[in-house]
Amino acid sequence: MFCVYALYSFSANKFYTGMTSELITRFRFHNSKSTKGYTLRYRPWYCIHVEFFDSKKEALYREKELKSGKGRDWIRSNILPKYL
């Protein structure tokens, strides 16, 4: 099973969208184990949205959608208000 997730940094007001088959491991990596990259700069990250898919192809398609301008707007208007 694959999942697409959206992370949010409240301190920096930044989003990160990704895809994985190991959500908990990947989340830990974003918050503590990575030593370089985008997610290192804006810790801590909070998981605000997860969607599950049976195929990698479907998950990659949805990840691409959420990384688009419309996808980011959808997260801001439909997901983020639940956490603010």
Side-chain angles (χ1 to χ4, degrees), residues 22-84:
E22 298 287 337
L23 182 61
I24 302 302
T25 302
R26 189 74 176 125
F27 183 68
R28 285 184 183 142
F29 184 82
H30 285 305
N31 270 324
S32 63
K33 294 186 179 184
S34 64
T35 58
K36 61 181 179 178
Y38 181 81
T39 58
L40 175 65
R41 291 178 279 178
Y42 304 114
R43 289 177 181 164
W45 290 98
Y46 297 90
C47 188
I48 61 169
H49 184 67
V50 179
E51 296 177 18
F52 294 94
F53 299 91
D54 291 326
S55 75
K56 187 175 183 178
K57 183 178 179 179
E58 291 173 303
L60 287 169
Y61 182 79
R62 181 61 172 156
E63 178 190 23
K64 188 174 180 179
E65 282 182 333
L66 290 178
K67 286 184 173 184
S68 72
K70 285 184 180 183
R72 287 190 306 273
D73 289 344
W74 181 83
I75 291 171
R76 279 191 183 91
S77 62
N78 294 293
I79 304 300
L80 191 56
K82 297 174 187 176
Y83 294 92
L84 298 178

